[in-house]
Amino acid sequence: MQLQEKTMVADTLTGINGELMRFGEMIPQTENKELKQTLKQFRNACEQSQEELYQIAREKSYYVPAQKATQEEINHVKSLFTEKTL
């Protein structure tokens, strides 16, 4: 069975997002400055790939973003972080 392009794009985005999460976990845990810088460079390249693939997915309608939040919704979330009720 041959994979469809849409499936391959989705799988690749999922993989890239997982790598970004791992870089986010590793970078603050290392004390070696050279390693930290290398990990940041890898993360940046990974983010660039994710952005390029995301744009392709949008152009081909493989990905349709969620509707933008209303100002009321934005204000509600802001209030959650400014009030001491978390």
Side-chain angles (χ1 to χ4, degrees):
M1 182 175 158
Q2 200 172 23
L3 285 177
Q4 293 183 353
E5 186 179 60
K6 180 178 180 178
T7 302
M8 290 187 290
V9 169
D11 287 350
T12 303
L13 277 172
T14 299
I16 291 172
N17 289 337
E19 291 301 316
L20 287 170
M21 286 175 46
R22 282 186 276 291
F23 285 128
E25 294 166 353
M26 288 187 283
I27 291 169
Q29 293 180 22
T30 184
E31 293 183 20
N32 182 310
K33 290 184 182 197
E34 290 177 27
L35 176 57
K36 188 176 287 233
Q37 186 59 38
T38 299
L39 290 171
K40 286 179 180 181
Q41 290 171 349
F42 286 156
R43 180 198 59 202
N44 291 343
C46 199
E47 286 176 349
Q48 182 64 38
S49 294
Q50 192 270 354
E51 180 62 28
E52 290 171 9
L53 200 51
Y54 167 76
Q55 290 303 327
I56 291 168
R58 294 255 344 244
E59 289 169 9
K60 294 186 175 234
S61 297
Y62 295 163
Y63 173 79
V64 179
Q67 184 176 359
K68 292 188 177 194
T70 65
Q71 190 59 48
E72 181 180 331
E73 292 167 326
I74 294 169
N75 292 339
H76 173 70
V77 172
K78 281 182 180 179
S79 73
L80 294 175
F81 288 95
T82 55
E83 295 173 4
K84 296 181 182 183
T85 58
L86 283 180

